[in-house]
Coordinates of all heavy atoms in Angstrom, one line a residue:
D968 N 0.9 -1.2 0.0 CA 0.0 0.0 0.0 C 0.9 1.2 0.0 O 1.5 1.5 1.0 CB -0.9 0.0 1.2 CG -1.8 1.2 1.3 OD1 -2.0 1.8 0.2 OD2 -2.2 1.6 2.4
V969 N 1.0 1.9 -1.1 CA 1.9 3.0 -1.3 C 1.1 4.3 -1.4 O 0.2 4.4 -2.3 CB 2.8 2.8 -2.6 CG1 3.8 4.0 -2.7 CG2 3.5 1.5 -2.5
V970 N 1.4 5.3 -0.5 CA 0.8 6.6 -0.5 C 1.8 7.6 -0.6 O 2.7 7.7 0.3 CB -0.1 6.8 0.7 CG1 -0.7 8.2 0.7 CG2 -1.2 5.7 0.8
D971 N 1.8 8.5 -1.7 CA 2.8 9.5 -1.9 C 4.2 9.0 -1.8 O 5.1 9.6 -1.2 CB 2.6 10.7 -0.9 CG 1.3 11.4 -1.0 OD1 0.8 11.4 -2.1 OD2 0.8 11.9 0.0
G972 N 4.4 7.8 -2.4 CA 5.7 7.2 -2.4 C 6.2 6.5 -1.1 O 7.3 5.9 -1.1
E973 N 5.3 6.5 -0.1 CA 5.6 5.9 1.2 C 4.8 4.6 1.4 O 3.6 4.6 1.1 CB 5.3 6.9 2.3 CG 6.1 8.2 2.2 CD 7.2 8.2 3.3 OE1 7.2 7.4 4.2 OE2 8.1 9.0 3.1
I974 N 5.5 3.5 1.8 CA 4.8 2.3 2.1 C 4.1 2.4 3.4 O 4.7 2.6 4.5 CB 5.8 1.1 2.2 CG1 6.7 1.0 0.9 CG2 5.1 -0.2 2.5 CD1 5.9 0.7 -0.3
Q975 N 2.7 2.3 3.3 CA 1.9 2.4 4.5 C 1.6 1.0 5.2 O 1.4 0.9 6.4 CB 0.6 3.0 4.2 CG 0.7 4.4 3.5 CD 1.4 5.4 4.4 OE1 1.1 5.5 5.6 NE2 2.3 6.1 3.9
G976 N 1.7 0.0 4.4 CA 1.4 -1.3 4.9 C 1.3 -2.3 3.7 O 1.7 -2.0 2.6
L977 N 0.6 -3.4 3.8 CA 0.4 -4.3 2.7 C -1.0 -5.0 2.9 O -1.5 -5.3 4.0 CB 1.5 -5.3 2.6 CG 1.8 -6.2 3.8 CD1 1.0 -7.5 3.7 CD2 3.3 -6.5 3.9
C978 N -1.6 -5.3 1.7 CA -2.8 -6.0 1.6 C -2.4 -7.5 1.4 O -1.6 -7.8 0.5 CB -3.7 -5.5 0.5 SG -4.3 -3.8 0.7
V979 N -3.1 -8.4 2.1 CA -2.8 -9.8 2.0 C -4.1 -10.5 1.5 O -5.1 -10.4 2.2 CB -2.4 -10.4 3.4 CG1 -2.1 -11.9 3.2 CG2 -1.1 -9.7 3.8
L980 N -3.9 -11.2 0.4 CA -5.0 -12.0 -0.2 C -4.6 -13.5 -0.3 O -3.5 -13.8 -0.9 CB -5.4 -11.5 -1.5 CG -6.4 -12.4 -2.4 CD1 -7.8 -12.4 -1.7 CD2 -6.5 -11.8 -3.8
V981 N -5.3 -14.4 0.4 CA -5.0 -15.8 0.4 C -6.1 -16.6 -0.2 O -7.3 -16.5 0.3 CB -4.6 -16.3 1.8 CG1 -4.3 -17.8 1.7 CG2 -3.5 -15.5 2.4
S982 N -6.0 -17.2 -1.4 CA -7.0 -17.9 -2.1 C -6.8 -19.4 -2.1 O -5.7 -19.9 -2.3 CB -7.1 -17.5 -3.5 OG -7.4 -16.1 -3.6
D983 N -7.8 -20.2 -1.8 CA -7.7 -21.7 -1.8 C -7.8 -22.1 -3.2 O -8.8 -22.0 -3.9 CB -8.9 -22.2 -1.0 CG -8.8 -23.8 -0.8 OD1 -7.9 -24.4 -1.5 OD2 -9.6 -24.3 -0.1
I984 N -6.7 -22.7 -3.7 CA -6.7 -23.2 -5.1 C -6.6 -24.8 -5.1 O -6.1 -25.3 -6.1 CB -5.5 -22.6 -5.9 CG1 -4.2 -22.9 -5.2 CG2 -5.7 -21.1 -6.0 CD1 -2.9 -22.5 -6.0
T985 N -7.0 -25.4 -4.0 CA -6.9 -26.9 -4.0 C -7.6 -27.5 -5.1 O -7.1 -28.4 -5.8 CB -7.4 -27.4 -2.6 OG1 -6.7 -26.7 -1.6 CG2 -7.3 -28.9 -2.5
T986 N -8.9 -27.1 -5.4 CA -9.7 -27.7 -6.4 C -9.0 -27.5 -7.8 O -9.0 -28.4 -8.6 CB -11.1 -27.1 -6.4 OG1 -11.7 -27.3 -5.2 CG2 -11.9 -27.7 -7.5
L987 N -8.5 -26.3 -8.0 CA -7.8 -26.0 -9.2 C -6.6 -26.9 -9.4 O -6.3 -27.4 -10.5 CB -7.4 -24.5 -9.3 CG -8.5 -23.5 -9.4 CD1 -8.0 -22.1 -9.4 CD2 -9.3 -23.8 -10.7
K988 N -5.8 -27.1 -8.3 CA -4.6 -27.9 -8.3 C -5.0 -29.4 -8.7 O -4.4 -30.0 -9.5 CB -3.9 -27.9 -6.9 CG -3.0 -26.7 -6.8 CD -1.8 -26.9 -7.6 CE -0.7 -25.8 -7.3 NZ 0.5 -25.9 -8.2
Q989 N -6.1 -29.9 -8.0 CA -6.5 -31.2 -8.3 C -7.0 -31.4 -9.7 O -6.7 -32.4 -10.4 CB -7.7 -31.6 -7.3 CG -7.2 -31.7 -5.9 CD -8.4 -31.9 -4.9 OE1 -9.5 -31.6 -5.3 NE2 -8.1 -32.3 -3.7
A990 N -7.7 -30.3 -10.2 CA -8.1 -30.4 -11.6 C -6.9 -30.3 -12.6 O -6.9 -31.0 -13.6 CB -9.1 -29.2 -11.9
D991 N -5.9 -29.5 -12.2 CA -4.7 -29.4 -13.0 C -4.0 -30.7 -13.0 O -3.5 -31.2 -14.1 CB -3.8 -28.3 -12.5 CG -2.6 -28.1 -13.3 OD1 -2.7 -27.8 -14.5 OD2 -1.5 -28.4 -12.8
E992 N -3.9 -31.4 -11.9 CA -3.2 -32.7 -11.8 C -4.0 -33.7 -12.6 O -3.4 -34.6 -13.3 CB -3.1 -33.1 -10.3 CG -2.1 -32.3 -9.5 CD -2.1 -32.7 -8.1 OE1 -2.8 -33.7 -7.7 OE2 -1.4 -32.1 -7.3
Q993 N -5.3 -33.7 -12.6 CA -6.1 -34.6 -13.3 C -5.9 -34.4 -14.8 O -5.8 -35.3 -15.6 CB -7.6 -34.4 -13.0 CG -8.5 -35.5 -13.6 CD -8.2 -36.9 -13.2 OE1 -7.9 -37.1 -12.0 NE2 -8.2 -37.8 -14.1
I994 N -5.9 -33.1 -15.2 CA -5.6 -32.8 -16.6 C -4.2 -33.2 -17.1 O -4.1 -33.8 -18.1 CB -5.8 -31.2 -16.9 CG1 -7.2 -30.8 -16.7 CG2 -5.3 -30.9 -18.2 CD1 -7.4 -29.3 -16.7
R995 N -3.3 -33.0 -16.2 CA -1.9 -33.5 -16.5 C -1.8 -35.0 -16.6 O -1.2 -35.5 -17.5 CB -0.9 -33.0 -15.5 CG -0.7 -31.5 -15.5 CD 0.3 -31.1 -14.3 NE 0.5 -29.6 -14.3 CZ 1.4 -29.0 -15.0 NH1 2.2 -29.7 -15.8 NH2 1.5 -27.7 -14.9
L996 N -2.6 -35.7 -15.7 CA -2.6 -37.1 -15.7 C -3.3 -37.6 -17.0 O -2.8 -38.5 -17.7 CB -3.3 -37.7 -14.5 CG -3.5 -39.2 -14.5 CD1 -2.2 -39.9 -14.4 CD2 -4.4 -39.6 -13.2
S997 N -4.4 -37.0 -17.4 CA -5.1 -37.4 -18.6 C -4.2 -37.1 -19.8 O -4.2 -37.9 -20.7 CB -6.4 -36.6 -18.7 OG -7.3 -36.9 -17.6
A998 N -3.5 -36.0 -19.8 CA -2.7 -35.6 -20.9 C -1.5 -36.7 -21.0 O -1.1 -37.1 -22.1 CB -2.1 -34.2 -20.8
S999 N -1.0 -37.1 -19.9 CA 0.1 -38.1 -19.8 C -0.4 -39.4 -20.4 O 0.3 -40.0 -21.2 CB 0.6 -38.2 -18.4 OG 1.6 -39.3 -18.4
V1000 N -1.6 -39.8 -20.0 CA -2.2 -41.1 -20.5 C -2.4 -40.9 -22.0 O -2.1 -41.8 -22.8 CB -3.5 -41.4 -19.8 CG1 -4.2 -42.6 -20.5 CG2 -3.2 -41.7 -18.3
F1001 N -2.9 -39.8 -22.4 CA -3.2 -39.5 -23.8 C -1.9 -39.6 -24.7 O -1.9 -40.3 -25.7 CB -3.8 -38.2 -24.0 CG -4.3 -37.8 -25.4 CD1 -5.5 -38.3 -25.8 CD2 -3.5 -37.1 -26.2 CE1 -6.0 -38.0 -27.1 CE2 -3.9 -36.8 -27.5 CZ -5.1 -37.2 -28.0
E1002 N -0.8 -39.0 -24.2 CA 0.4 -39.0 -24.9 C 1.2 -40.3 -24.9 O 1.9 -40.6 -25.9 CB 1.3 -37.8 -24.4 CG 0.7 -36.5 -24.7 CD 0.7 -36.1 -26.1 OE1 1.6 -36.5 -26.9 OE2 -0.3 -35.5 -26.6
T1003 N 1.1 -41.0 -23.8 CA 2.0 -42.2 -23.6 C 1.3 -43.5 -23.9 O 1.9 -44.6 -23.9 CB 2.6 -42.2 -22.2 OG1 1.5 -42.3 -21.2 CG2 3.4 -41.0 -21.9
S1004 N -0.1 -43.5 -24.1 CA -0.8 -44.7 -24.3 C -0.3 -45.4 -25.5 O 0.0 -44.8 -26.6 CB -2.3 -44.4 -24.5 OG -3.0 -45.5 -24.8
L1005 N -0.2 -46.8 -25.4 CA 0.2 -47.6 -26.6 C -1.0 -47.8 -27.5 O -0.8 -48.3 -28.6 CB 0.8 -48.9 -26.1 CG 2.1 -48.8 -25.3 CD1 2.5 -50.2 -24.8 CD2 3.2 -48.1 -26.0
E1006 N -2.2 -47.5 -27.0 CA -3.4 -47.6 -27.9 C -3.6 -46.3 -28.6 O -3.4 -45.2 -28.0 CB -4.6 -48.0 -27.0 CG -4.5 -49.4 -26.5 CD -5.7 -49.8 -25.7 OE1 -6.1 -49.0 -24.8 OE2 -6.3 -50.9 -26.0

C-alpha cells in the first residue's frame, strides 16, 4: 500500500486453489495417458 511514495502497509489475499490444483493434476494425468498410451 503506497501513498505519496511511502509504504503504509500491505494487503494480504490468500485464495484456496486446492480444487484447481486437483483439476490441473487430473488434466496433466489425462494428458500423460493420452500422450503415452500404446493404444
Side-chain angles (χ1 to χ4, degrees):
D968 178 25
V969 183
V970 179
D971 297 331
E973 297 256 346
I974 305 296
Q975 304 299 314
L977 56 92
C978 297
V979 177
L980 171 65
V981 181
S982 303
D983 185 352
I984 58 172
T985 303
T986 302
L987 293 177
K988 277 289 187 180
Q989 293 172 344
D991 181 65
E992 290 176 3
Q993 187 63 41
I994 291 173
R995 290 178 183 271
L996 176 61
S997 300
S999 175
V1000 171
F1001 186 82
E1002 291 295 322
T1003 61
S1004 173
L1005 297 180
E1006 293 183 306

